[in-house]
Amino acid sequence: MARRVAVIGAGMTRFVRRAKETSRELAFGASRMALDSCGLSLNDIDCVVHGTAPDAFDGFHMKGEYLSDGSGAFRKPYLRCYVGGGTGVFAPIQGWMHVASGLFDTCLVVCEEKMSSCQPHPQGAFNSIFDHTTERPLGPNLLWIFALEMNRYMNAYGISQRDIAGVSVKNKKNALDHPAAQVAKETTVEEVLASEVLAWPVHRLMVSPVSDGAAAVILAGEEKARRLTDRPVWIQGVGWDLDTSYWTNRDLAYPQYVENAARRAYRMAGVREPRKEIHLAEPYDPFAYKELHHLEGLLLSEKGKAPEDLARGRFDREKGELPTCPSGGLMGVGNPIAAAGLMKICELFWQLRGEAGKRQVPGKPERGLAQAWGDLMQVGTVVVMGIK
Amino acid sequence: MTEVAQNVKWIGENWKKEEVLHGKVFTFSDRPQARYAWDTGEAIGRYLAGFKQGKILGVRCRGCQRIMVPPRIFCELCFRDISEWVTLKETGRIRTFSVCYVTWDMKRIRKPQIPAVIEIDGASEGMGILHLVEAPRGDKPWERLRAGTRVQAVWKPKGLRRGAVTDIRFWRVLTGNANAGH
Amino acid sequence: MPATKTRQALKVWGSWKGELPLQNLYTAGIAGNEFFRVLKERGELLGAFCQQCEYGYVPARSFCERCFADLSGTFKTVSSEGVLLAWTQCHRDRTGKTLKKPVWLGAVRLQGSSSALIHILKVPPQELHAGRFVRAIFKPAAQRVGSILDLSHFE
């Protein structure tokens, strides 16, 4: 059996639209903060895992290598991993493997993205996820794929845009208490619905922004973790799963691959009734509907019922039974792709240690879940963390 | 400790255009010459040759019996070779659609594009392709389209077809059953 | 036309041409901004120095990759003279075209720094050998814009 692995430190930069810092300086900022948070130096780190999305965003090929200095990888075993938007939760899974296997005692996991480098718009890079011969000649853009999935989700279960807009309101509001947030805002369902239609049914305020930023966590094996901190947050379960690459052949209404990933993570964590045993969740929310779509895939809401749960306040941070995206999520904190996913792991770490300040979920939560999603709308990555 | 952020110096600072113009923030630009020639391969090569003839071709897997489009020479579920080709109909149903008012570089377009996943008649259920639907008249095109709406391919004239997915100009709503349920 | 431009008709097997319409805009960063400001305004090269690792970086960096120390308080200019560590004679440009005249590039360790800076060399070929001293020649102040080419070459 694999040995237990804990998160013992976390750090991140502010998420901003156009950072003055270079990609390396962003990665360094997050890594340094994570090390400082648990009083470690770079010498204490045995190996490094780096997560970053397409090279085309930052505009460096071999981006993992380019960022290795800011990621603390100088003369250390180093691995870069990439599963599109799912990377931010996939990278700590890779780090978990490094430590759980017994190969290493400590691992620094760093995710970075500097999307502002990509001109005139990062969609120039995103477009290349479409098939070059059968899809790109139609002139697609990334919004299409989300709009098509959102419409299918709405249709399958009779959900309205109004039902979904509440996610933007909740997350942007939660982000007001996050010191690193880019697009925190007090807003209303009416304002979200009145914002510009970009690709119906997607309105502007239902989309996360283009961002620059980095996030990092420190992992340690059980023995080391207990020596270094009296409040380790254990990685209790991990899971990931991939659907077919032919996205137009999939049923876009339900993310079966997310369910498969979640079931793996729950099984490993010994979670039998996720709705009772998960106390807070950071589902992936690059678009408002995605949070609901994913909560269903994660078995935290019934199929098609996440909007009802949202409407009755089940996901509220202060009073809800299952607070979701207490950080403010991608919709509020921002979306530097890989870093945004790892930000969710950082949030679980702070929440479960009771260090989330104004964002603190009440009731001393003991177990949380973070999830990200990506590749060609087909990968689910899930981590369950807890204090026991 | 109640809040981790208390003693942290947050890094990550926005720059402004004026700072670049006044020489306070230095920037550099570059343009990679990222040009490609992608081989179509056998399956998509035949698929596109079919378009040139005004036909939509699919394939059937002898394992799972699925009739698939876009065609492929191996089944990703059964992981076996596929060699049986099937001519599909040029009609189908809208599985899902969007009405898009922006281009990839976020320029606004007045006449929206209507991308859709269209399930092709003659293929197995759920087998769709990405294509464009002709815009219905009116301000809110989404009120005139439904999941399940039946559509038909509108081909370019034969002489203008080149073996490309754009040989189908768009899909037109078939009259009489625009509101067909799913 | 969006991301893909098509240029040829297809037979049964063929190829489909397109491009990724990307441009990149990079910031110099926190340390880089200081390096280029000093280069532009003063015609000098700025380094960063890690005391613990006894290592000097040119161009200046904001952190030491060896020990992760914050180097932002350690910036100072270095000598414009240094030692040639290695050199090469290039006959092609970066797209693979043959150059009319070859270009020499050198790796130079400036006095007081530990790292090598790569730049253009203008030294008579017969005098090129590793270990010889070279000196940075800067463009006149009016022509400097805050680019690595404000340093014209080493001679």
Side-chain angles (χ1 to χ4, degrees):
Chain A
M1 186 59 201
R3 68 170 167 170
R4 298 183 81 200
V5 179
V7 181
I8 60 166
M12 63 184 285
T13 67
R14 277 196 201 102
F15 288 177
V16 295
R17 177 64 184 86
R18 290 178 192 84
K20 277 183 185 168
E21 289 85 353
T22 59
S23 308
R24 294 163 150 171
E25 287 169 341
L26 290 171
F28 169 73
S31 304
R32 183 72 261 180
M33 180 175 161
L35 286 165
D36 289 345
S37 76
C38 53
L40 292 191
S41 74
L42 196 52
N43 270 337
D44 301 315
I45 297 298
D46 294 344
C47 67
V48 177
V49 167
H50 185 87
T52 191
D55 290 349
F57 285 147
D58 291 52
F60 290 97
H61 280 275
M62 311 274 285
K63 191 173 152 191
E65 281 63 34
Y66 176 77
L67 287 167
S68 63
D69 61 342
S71 307
F74 182 78
R75 291 186 188 156
K76 290 187 197 301
Y78 182 60
L79 175 130
R80 178 220 179 156
C81 64
Y82 169 45
V83 285
T87 305
V89 173
F90 194 58
I93 297 176
Q94 298 300 317
W96 173 85
M97 288 189 213
H98 279 51
V99 180
S101 65
L103 263 183
F104 305 100
D105 286 334
T106 54
C107 178
L108 168 61
V109 180
V110 193
C111 289
E112 185 277 350
E113 221 74 64
K114 190 169 181 192
M115 299 169 77
S116 67
S117 306
C118 191
Q119 302 279 321
H121 196 279
Q123 285 214 31
F126 274 130
N127 278 348
S128 58
I129 69 171
F130 289 98
D131 185 273
H132 43 70
T133 307
T134 59
E135 293 172 350
R136 272 188 249 170
L138 299 169
N141 66 59
L142 190 73
L143 289 163
W144 284 20
I145 211 167
F146 285 97
L148 291 167
E149 189 179 68
M150 175 170 164
N151 190 17
R152 171 82 187 119
Y153 175 56
M154 286 164 54
N155 247 299
Y157 303 112
I159 296 163
S160 71
Q161 287 162 296
R162 179 169 286 275
D163 297 334
I164 287 166
V167 173
S168 305
V169 176
K170 170 178 72 70
N171 291 5
K172 285 176 181 293
K173 181 162 182 282
N174 285 352
L176 284 168
D177 296 322
H178 201 304
Q182 180 185 350
V183 285
K185 181 178 156 80
E186 191 83 51
T187 185
T188 61
V189 166
E190 278 63 36
E191 194 182 3
V192 174
L193 294 175
S195 66
E196 184 185 5
V197 179
L198 295 179
W200 187 91
V202 173
H203 289 245
R204 177 163 273 288
L205 288 178
M206 296 175 181
V207 188
S208 60
V210 170
S211 312
D212 295 350
V217 294
I218 314 285
L219 308 182
E222 178 160 19
E223 199 181 312
K224 192 108 186 183
R226 290 203 191 277
R227 233 183 304 144
L228 291 169
T229 176
D230 51 5
R231 284 175 302 156
V233 178
W234 303 101
I235 294 182
Q236 299 177 334
V238 301
W240 65 103
D241 197 78
L242 193 74
D243 207 328
T244 172
S245 294
Y246 292 91
W247 69 275
T248 58
N249 295 173
R250 255 183 250 149
D251 185 356
L252 300 170
Y254 184 73
Q256 183 61 45
Y257 48 95
V258 172
E259 180 186 324
N260 296 358
R263 283 190 186 279
R264 276 179 195 283
Y266 292 146
R267 201 178 313 133
M268 191 186 296
V271 170
R272 292 185 179 180
E273 292 181 88
R275 276 170 233 176
K276 288 187 186 150
E277 296 174 65
I278 299 291
H279 303 152
L280 73 135
E282 280 280 343
Y284 198 62
D285 61 325
F287 282 63
Y289 81 95
K290 286 305 296 182
E291 173 164 333
L292 304 172
H293 199 238
H294 289 147
L295 284 166
E296 293 171 18
L298 293 165
L299 310 173
L300 296 172
S301 280
E302 301 266 346
K303 280 187 192 178
K305 300 289 184 203
E308 281 175 32
D309 288 345
L310 175 75
R312 66 182 172 84
R314 182 166 169 242
F315 304 137
D316 285 358
R317 190 169 68 196
E318 279 72 31
K319 290 181 188 157
E321 164 199 329
L322 174 68
T324 59
C325 291
S327 63
L330 281 53
M331 294 295 303
V333 186
N335 188 10
I337 311 291
L342 196 59
M343 175 275 285
K344 290 178 173 290
I345 300 284
C346 294
E347 184 68 10
L348 290 188
F349 176 74
W350 290 322
Q351 289 285 353
L352 294 169
R353 291 193 7 150
E355 293 176 358
K358 287 190 204 158
R359 303 193 307 284
Q360 186 61 50
V361 166
K364 299 206 167 124
E366 292 186 353
R367 189 187 274 122
L369 170 147
Q371 173 252 339
W373 161 96
D375 281 344
L376 187 59
M377 315 189 65
Q378 73 195 116
V379 73
T381 53
V382 176
V383 167
V384 173
M385 282 161 55
I387 56 174
K388 286 186 179 159
Chain B
M1 186 159 68
T2 53
E3 165 139 39
V4 72
Q6 271 171 358
N7 307 314
V8 167
K9 180 188 144 210
W10 290 93
I11 81 146
E13 196 188 339
N14 267 312
W15 55 267
K16 300 186 187 78
K17 283 192 177 131
E18 305 87 78
E19 291 179 299
V20 173
L21 292 174
H22 298 150
K24 287 188 178 148
V25 167
F26 294 105
T27 60
F28 310 93
S29 56
D30 195 10
R31 187 183 191 112
Q33 307 274 316
R35 293 200 189 118
Y36 298 86
W38 295 287
D39 290 333
T40 59
E42 183 185 339
I44 297 302
R46 285 182 76 158
Y47 182 54
L48 296 181
F51 270 70
K52 195 168 181 184
Q53 295 166 16
K55 281 195 280 194
I56 302 171
L57 297 175
V59 290
R60 186 204 307 270
C61 171
R62 287 169 63 189
C64 61
Q65 297 296 320
R66 289 187 306 160
I67 300 177
M68 291 174 266
V69 65
R72 54 211 77 168
I73 56 164
F74 62 90
C75 174
E76 78 274 20
L77 301 191
C78 308
F79 226 54
R80 58 190 287 168
D81 289 338
I82 293 177
S83 56
E84 189 184 340
W85 287 77
V86 184
T87 301
L88 307 175
K89 299 208 171 121
E90 51 179 40
T91 52
R93 290 188 309 170
I94 294 177
R95 180 82 160 171
T96 180
F97 68 93
S98 169
V99 183
C100 188
Y101 292 88
V102 289
T103 58
W104 69 271
D105 51 355
M106 296 307 279
K107 292 199 182 84
R108 270 53 182 175
I109 40 179
R110 208 170 289 168
K111 193 171 172 243
Q113 286 179 295
I114 305 192
V117 175
I118 296 161
E119 279 181 288
I120 309 295
D121 289 341
S124 298
E125 198 191 336
M127 284 289 154
I129 61 167
L130 176 69
H131 218 285
L132 297 163
V133 172
E134 183 181 32
R137 280 186 211 151
D139 270 353
K140 296 179 176 171
W142 52 84
E143 290 178 356
R144 287 154 207 281
L145 296 169
R146 296 263 186 288
T149 297
R150 295 193 53 75
V151 288
Q152 176 161 29
V154 175
W155 295 89
K156 281 182 182 167
K158 203 170 179 192
L160 295 178
R161 295 202 294 259
R162 330 170 7 264
V165 288
T166 47
D167 287 349
I168 292 178
R169 289 173 61 207
F170 47 72
W171 294 70
R172 178 170 283 159
V173 172
L174 280 168
T175 47
N177 52 12
N179 293 324
H182 199 64
Chain C
M1 196 72 194
T4 305
K5 281 180 193 159
T6 58
R7 297 201 185 85
Q8 85 176 54
L10 282 146
K11 300 193 177 73
V12 173
W13 287 273
S15 66
W16 189 265
K17 293 192 176 175
E19 63 182 306
L20 306 187
L22 299 173
Q23 296 171 58
N24 293 110
L25 180 69
Y26 308 103
T27 57
I30 303 303
N33 223 55
E34 277 306 288
F35 176 82
F36 287 108
R37 189 182 62 76
V38 167
L39 180 58
K40 181 185 170 194
E41 290 175 6
R42 289 158 47 190
E44 293 184 282
L45 298 169
L46 193 70
F49 299 85
C50 179
Q51 280 199 321
Q52 191 186 321
C53 300
E54 297 183 338
Y55 201 94
Y57 297 97
V58 177
R61 299 189 195 176
S62 54
F63 59 93
C64 175
E65 66 172 316
R66 288 161 169 74
C67 71
F68 252 31
D70 183 351
L71 299 184
S72 52
T74 72
F75 296 171
K76 63 173 190 237
T77 54
V78 294
S79 164
S80 58
E81 291 182 3
V83 176
L84 184 63
L85 300 175
W87 55 274
T88 180
Q89 185 182 15
C90 306
H91 296 273
R92 305 252 174 118
D93 71 8
R94 67 173 189 166
T95 65
K97 275 190 214 133
T98 303
L99 292 164
K100 279 181 193 152
K101 276 198 270 177
V103 173
W104 280 265
L105 290 175
V108 177
R109 184 193 290 144
L110 293 154
Q111 281 182 301
S113 90
S114 321
S115 59
L117 185 70
I118 308 291
H119 218 291
I120 297 160
L121 281 177
K122 288 189 179 167
V123 176
Q126 63 275 16
E127 292 178 27
L128 277 172
H129 59 87
R132 70 155 293 158
F133 269 81
V134 289
R135 186 176 55 187
I137 302 299
F138 297 92
K139 284 183 181 165
Q143 290 176 25
R144 295 200 294 260
V145 294
S147 143
I148 196 66
L149 296 176
D150 290 355
L151 192 175
S152 164
H153 60 272
F154 281 95
E155 65 167 34

